[in-house]
Amino acid sequence: MVPRSAALTICAKDLRQELRTRESFTSAFFFALLVQVVFSFAFDFQSLGLGFEEVGAGVVWITLTFSSILSLQNSFLIEREKNCLAALALCPCDPSAVFLGKLLANFLFVLAVQAPILPISALFFGYDLSGVLPGLCLVVTVNAAGFSALGTLFSAVSVRTRRSELLLPLLLLPAATPVVIWGVKATRLCLAGRALGAYGTLVALSACFGAVFIVAGILLFDYVLEE
Amino acid sequence: MGAKANRLDEALQVAETALLPLVAVLMTASLFCVFRVVPDEVTMGAVQRIFYFHVPSAWVAFLGFFVVFAASILYLATRRLLWDTVAHAAAELGVLFCAIVLVTGPIWARPVWGTWWTWEARLTTTLVLELVFVAYLVLRTQAESRLQAARLAAVMGIVGFLDVPLIYFSVKIWRGHHPIVFKSSGGEGLEPVMLKTFMLCMLTFTVLFLLLLALRIRVGLLDESLAELREREPSAGA
């Protein structure tokens, strides 16, 4: 099988499974919503007089990071049932195709959760997103790609271990520091109404982060998939 | 233990016997220089002396993480478990020395900067690195077999090290230019006697690292032969 078509097949399989069960989306979406609510209780932005311009970037990124961990985790946990991992490893294609397929599916899941969550969090703050929407979409998409790349690799690593649920956040969160920092900073500039020129470099850096770990994933996935 | 492992064990023991007295002499000389020879720094006073331990610890921690990276690549390329033992040993030492950096830094920062902690680029990078490699060690404990631990840890060791420059760079952008400059950590503009003492401390810590690495690798090899024995005679482990 050509690697590209193999990757697309694996991605399509994950999407089909998700469309039938809606497990990943439902749990990640409601978890994201809960994070927003807890956030509002914890900081009480309204009485502090803080608007979305000031705290929106933080809210968006904490929500994205934590809710994405759920869907990333699920991505390989579903393969553990009935030993599908072994079947994936036996796929007559390059292991990197499995990585790329999983990565694409995870990336789409992260975006699918963020698509409704972003307007909802803006709504909680009474903030009008329409002016900053293109910039915000760009920032979230690029950083979500980097986060998903590292997350897919670590999800496959942690699913091999005894308590994978505990391990993934421990592995992923410190290593993903750069995307979180660049994402928050770019989002803040974007929400403040600055032009793309002000945060273009940050987006480019996040794209580099994504590229580094996509290449690392392609090179290393073979060793992760091995029995 | 096979003949090969035996030879390695002997070589490590020879290295230990050579390094131990060397570390003892160097450490005594370093302590003497730091507390007796070097004058007080003009503005910071006596607390500046912590840098003779702080900076070498940071260097050794980074050296440890680099060894993890190199040994991880060698393990995946050759599949010799020895490299995994080296990576594991170096990761533990890296985490240990990183912890020393994180403890000595605030002790110095409190009187000089007036605060225990500040989210400065170098401090933050050190903290994040510590967390990355603690995760590496936790991952090892969670694996289901020795070979699996070696393989997954190697992947994590490589990814973790690739992350180091990215983390440093991102934190630097996050904080912008910090107004306070470490004069004493660069080695530039230091008094000759301070510089000499500093270099001596760097050497001492490097040799100390090598000694601890040799010891830890040998413990790792002993662990392995014990596991082998237990596999052969399950009752021996009970």
Side-chain angles (χ1 to χ4, degrees):
Chain A
M1 240 191 292
V2 187
R4 197 186 43 173
S5 70
L8 289 179
T9 310
I10 286 165
C11 174
K13 166 194 86 69
D14 275 13
L15 293 182
R16 207 177 311 124
Q17 185 167 2
E18 180 57 32
L19 280 175
R20 284 179 191 161
T21 61
R22 293 194 187 81
E23 268 175 0
S24 222
F25 178 82
T26 324
S27 50
F29 174 77
F30 283 104
F31 184 71
L33 206 60
L34 280 171
V35 171
Q36 305 253 319
V37 174
V38 172
F39 231 101
S40 304
F41 292 154
F43 291 101
D44 197 5
F45 303 114
Q46 218 154 33
S47 54
L48 289 172
L50 292 171
F52 202 58
E53 295 87 340
E54 287 99 20
V55 294
V59 175
V60 165
W61 279 95
I62 292 199
T63 312
L64 190 149
T65 332
F66 287 111
S67 61
S68 304
I69 284 181
L70 283 191
S71 55
L72 285 168
Q73 200 139 52
N74 202 37
S75 162
F76 281 94
L77 278 179
I78 53 171
E79 306 292 357
R80 204 148 73 168
E81 282 166 33
K82 297 187 181 142
N83 210 8
C84 291
L85 267 175
L88 270 184
L90 288 172
C91 248
C93 65
D94 200 74
S96 61
V98 179
F99 172 71
L100 289 173
K102 280 284 181 189
L103 165 59
L104 189 59
N106 286 333
F107 173 59
L108 293 175
F109 289 162
V110 172
L111 290 188
V113 172
Q114 290 312 305
I117 279 294
L118 277 175
I120 289 175
S121 43
L123 184 118
F124 281 158
F125 282 89
Y127 179 87
D128 184 13
L129 270 184
S130 56
V132 298
L133 204 55
L136 193 59
C137 285
L138 176 74
V139 171
V140 169
T141 309
V142 170
N143 283 286
F147 193 76
S148 308
L150 201 56
T152 304
L153 184 60
F154 282 162
S155 172
V157 166
S158 66
V159 79
R160 292 290 193 184
T161 60
R162 281 193 290 263
R163 289 183 188 76
S164 55
E165 291 88 344
L166 298 177
L167 201 57
L168 181 62
L170 217 56
L171 295 177
L172 182 55
L173 289 178
T177 308
V179 241
V180 175
I181 288 180
W182 290 329
V184 169
K185 197 149 178 141
T187 309
R188 187 172 299 139
L189 289 168
C190 177
L191 291 179
R194 303 280 291 275
L196 180 64
Y199 55 87
T201 327
L202 292 166
V203 176
L205 283 170
S206 299
C208 287
F209 179 95
V212 167
F213 289 109
I214 288 173
V215 173
I218 288 173
L219 292 175
L220 293 171
F221 206 69
D222 192 8
Y223 303 108
V224 180
L225 218 51
E226 222 175 88
E227 269 300 324
Chain B
M1 222 188 276
K4 217 171 169 185
N6 251 332
R7 265 207 306 281
L8 186 68
D9 192 69
E10 275 165 27
L12 284 169
Q13 283 194 41
V14 170
E16 281 159 27
T17 353
L19 287 172
L20 187 62
L22 190 61
V23 169
V25 171
L26 282 171
M27 196 52 96
T28 319
S30 295
L31 286 171
F32 181 77
C33 285
V34 170
F35 291 107
R36 285 272 158 227
V37 178
V38 173
D40 266 356
E41 208 269 347
V42 188
T43 46
M44 296 178 231
V47 73
Q48 186 263 347
R49 289 173 207 261
I50 208 164
F51 267 81
Y52 296 109
F53 305 104
H54 177 81
V55 182
S57 299
W59 145 248
V60 165
F62 279 93
L63 180 65
F65 296 147
F66 177 72
V67 173
V68 175
F69 174 65
S72 297
I73 292 180
L74 284 169
Y75 172 72
L76 289 182
T78 64
R79 298 299 173 117
R80 287 189 54 197
L81 274 174
L82 168 66
W83 291 122
D84 178 61
T85 311
V86 172
H88 188 187
E92 274 186 9
L93 291 177
V95 167
L96 170 71
F97 281 100
C98 213
I100 294 177
V101 175
L102 288 170
V103 171
T104 51
I107 295 175
W108 172 85
R110 176 71 193 153
V112 177
W113 285 351
T115 170
W116 291 108
W117 182 264
T118 162
W119 293 94
E120 191 257 353
R122 251 171 284 200
L123 288 175
T124 314
T125 309
T126 316
L127 178 64
V128 175
L129 266 188
E130 176 83 343
L131 293 173
V132 168
F133 282 91
V134 165
Y136 170 95
L137 292 178
V138 175
L139 169 65
R140 297 197 69 104
T141 65
Q142 291 295 318
E144 271 163 354
S145 70
R146 173 77 171 87
L147 286 176
Q148 193 194 52
R151 221 161 10 83
L152 298 181
V155 170
M156 178 70 193
I158 293 170
V159 171
F161 192 77
L162 286 178
D163 220 10
V164 173
L166 291 166
I167 292 171
Y168 181 67
F169 197 52
S170 69
V171 177
K172 229 177 148 173
I173 285 183
W174 176 51
R175 284 289 91 174
H177 298 287
H178 201 274
I180 301 155
V181 183
F182 281 93
K183 268 205 195 125
S184 47
S185 66
E188 285 171 19
L190 280 181
E191 281 283 307
V193 63
M194 285 180 158
L195 183 63
K196 273 183 201 148
T197 306
F198 177 73
M199 296 319 275
L200 177 67
C201 289
M202 291 291 267
L203 177 69
T204 307
F205 270 70
T206 311
V207 179
L208 175 67
F209 172 79
L210 293 176
L211 172 66
L212 290 174
L213 189 65
L215 276 168
R216 183 62 188 83
I217 291 172
R218 206 152 64 84
V219 171
L221 293 175
L222 286 173
D223 263 347
E224 234 159 83
S225 40
L226 182 64
E228 257 170 52
L229 277 178
R230 277 186 180 156
E231 229 163 80
R232 238 180 291 158
E233 293 168 58
S235 58

